[in-house]
Amino acid sequence: AVANEAGAPAKPGEGKVTQPVERKGMIDTQPPRGTRDFPPEDMRLRNWLFGEFAAVSTAFGFEQFDAPVLESEELFVRKAGEEITEQLYNFEDKGGRRVALRPELTPSLARLVLQRGKQLPLPAKWFAIGQCWRYERMTRGRRREHYQWNMDIVGVPGVEAEAELLAAIVMFFQRVGLTAADVGIKVSNRKVLQSVLTQYGVPPESFAKVCVIVDKLDKLPREKVEEELRALGVAASTIDGVLGALQLRDLEALAALLGPESEAVAELRKLWELAAGYGFQDWLVFDPSVVRGLAYYTGTVFEARDRAGQLRAICGGGRYDKLLATFGATDNTPMAGFGFGDAVIVELLKERGLLPAPGHRVDDVVVPLDGALRPAAAGIATALRRGGRSVDLVLEAKKMKWAFKHAEKLGAARLVLVGTSEWERGAVVVKDLAKFEQKEMPVAELTAGAAPPPAA
Ligand SMILES: OCc1cccc(Br)n1
């Protein structure tokens, strides 16, 4: 810890960095609790995964945005008892401001939409890939950060938006080699729960809290859920009615329960019809027990799970038409979106043997065989780089044998040797490491593809 003047460990907020204490031994080289490093071999996998996220988002015509990881705490203070807000990574900064590391991206999106107001052409289709945080007591040893891919559609009231979002999720799964036999997407609609609660006379203001509690059904024993509902004032008979509705497993039974005028039934039927058009109906499972744990969902909700049910949700999302109103907006703007974390998907791909192992490789290794030729070698490397090649320029005096092994280790296609006698003839030696051929080549030929240097 950094000591303050008195030499005592600095207390939170007193973190003034003064004279570094005399260090006894090595610093702790591990990252902070609950966080991960991404050394190159892990960063290559992360770049591959994020590349797939971005490729799908682009295929759907979405634009990328980002916002600070640090947000005002007020963006996330909600009174619905959600785990995500109870584990907020929040603190007071040195200016006395209440701030938080974002636990999700949706509130930041809402803030940007409000910031733009009428200037934002609708519908807006935005995506982001951002690090999100939670502060969980390490008793459960779970991570405190993850990266989340979000896609959101602003300004489309119909389930056409949700169908497009589900199509993007399915395209991602297909791109990485998963099938509808591996993954199912459970779909429901919070209006199911809303209708049942209304039938039992539960006041609308309890709706969000009831959803957050009912969402715990697949994590907590039923009696614990019933206890939390009772504490909310939900009568035992209502709980039986609610839990009974959540056991339904087809739309016809739901229509029988909620009646032919039910909005939930109409929206779900429309969604299935659109899914058939896209061709991903096989991925969908109607499951009214899906409510999701975020208070602000108002309509469709969905989550993707491995069909074996061994893992936590791969991704989840839904419609949240009233979020802007909770931030003070006067008119409601329809919004729908999903969040897709970077952890469960990697576990699933690893289990299925679908995880790529992208290696580090370069196109060319350039090595001067004499120190006097180092400027020449640098010029060749620059020309090759301008021509789009990735080039490892050997920076120290090395023998050919070492350079050869180094080029092999880097998976290089060519080893370019800059030697005195060849250089005098305006040439270099190029070893093709795939064909095991070697030939002398004029520098002009080797660097022919190079773009001219930028105009001075
Ligand atoms: O999905 C909940 C969540 C939020 C922030 C960080 C982590 Br790890 N997990």
Side-chain angles (χ1 to χ4, degrees), residues 335-356:
M335 299 175 82
F338 67 79
F340 196 126
D342 70 337
V344 178
I345 183 62
V346 169
E347 282 176 58
L348 178 58
L349 291 174
K350 203 176 287 179
E351 266 180 25
R352 291 282 187 291
L354 292 169
L355 215 47

Side-chain angles (χ1 to χ4, degrees), residues 84 103 132-134 143-146 148:
I84 203 165
C132 297
W133 293 81
R134 68 184 171 196
R143 282 194 289 105
R144 286 182 174 157
E145 53 77 26
H146 71 167
Q148 209 185 55

Side-chain angles (χ1 to χ4, degrees), residues 364 378-391 447-456:
D364 300 324
I380 288 170
T382 300
L384 290 171
R385 286 164 178 163
R386 284 204 184 116
R389 305 282 289 182
S390 64
V391 179
T447 58

Side-chain angles (χ1 to χ4, degrees), residues 305-318:
R305 306 291 296 253
D306 63 303
R307 292 273 186 183
Q310 306 300 316
L311 301 172
R312 304 180 310 284
I314 300 166
C315 64

